[in-house]
Amino acid sequence: FRLRLAGIEKWQGDGIIADFDDPVVAAALAGTRVPLVAVGGSYEHPADYPAAVPYVATDNFKVIKLAYEHLIESGLRHFALFSLPEASENRWAQEREKAFAALAQHDHARPEIFRGQCTRAPTWNQAVREQIAWLHRLPKPVGIIAVTDARARQLLQACALAGIAVPEQVAV
């Protein structure tokens, strides 16, 4: 992903397609005169969408529902969600948490959600230790929905380091 906001107001392109999940990007493009299309997550409240800007949304509820139904169809009965720490630039992750919680509650299950840390090189080992501890606490077999592909890869690495069988004990 590349982001170059410095001087964007002087850019003379034909149009911009921008990630409006990041409030910094949305603010930087608020006064642009270039045709603009915003992309980002879907939100529960209409006020969370930009005014007067065409917006293409990922359907966060549908993404989670499809994953949840797939895990049910696979025969699993325990489910969890591996999310991200709450932050303004990933509000969509909290929307996915709400979707997961609603689906689990509809099935009379307690929604098990783990946000973990933001993973950066200096904190990587600690983040993985926390993921492993969480994995050990979950009932097995369990289906875990990761809010991003990167989170899924982290989870698979944690399973490998902990000696947890994938997909027999943890399906991602």
Side-chain angles (χ1 to χ4, degrees):
F1 297 95
R2 293 181 185 230
L3 176 65
R4 294 189 183 112
L5 290 177
I8 194 73
E9 68 281 353
K10 297 175 192 160
W11 187 66
Q12 297 179 4
D14 293 323
I16 298 173
I17 300 172
D19 177 2
F20 266 48
D21 279 332
D22 186 338
V24 173
V25 172
L29 295 173
T32 188
R33 297 174 196 249
V34 176
L36 173 65
V37 173
V39 297
S42 59
Y43 297 100
E44 184 177 4
H45 303 291
D48 290 332
Y49 293 96
V53 176
Y55 190 88
V56 178
T58 301
D59 187 335
N60 288 313
F61 187 86
K62 185 88 172 206
V63 166
I64 297 303
K65 185 174 190 276
L66 288 170
Y68 185 77
E69 289 173 347
H70 171 73
L71 294 171
I72 289 171
E73 290 167 4
S74 298
L76 294 163
R77 297 293 168 253
H78 302 289
F79 308 97
L81 181 86
F82 184 31
S83 190
L84 290 164
E86 193 169 348
S88 61
E89 64 272 7
N90 63 23
R91 297 172 300 143
W92 53 269
Q94 281 70 63
E95 293 291 324
R96 292 179 182 190
E97 288 179 22
K98 287 183 215 173
F100 176 74
L103 291 164
Q105 288 167 351
H106 178 267
D107 290 342
H108 307 289
R110 187 177 69 89
E112 174 65 45
I113 298 171
F114 180 70
R115 289 183 175 162
Q117 298 183 31
C118 286
T119 47
R120 294 182 173 82
T123 61
W124 182 264
N125 289 335
Q126 178 61 32
V128 171
R129 282 192 297 272
E130 290 173 8
Q131 292 164 25
I132 290 170
W134 175 64
L135 287 165
H136 283 305
R137 288 191 303 269
L138 295 172
K140 309 293 185 301
V142 63
I144 302 177
I145 300 169
V147 295
T148 66
D149 293 346
R151 279 309 223 201
R153 286 190 304 274
Q154 292 167 13
L155 197 58
L156 292 170
Q157 181 182 17
C159 287
L161 290 170
I164 298 171
V166 175
E168 295 81 7
Q169 293 299 305
V170 173
V172 181

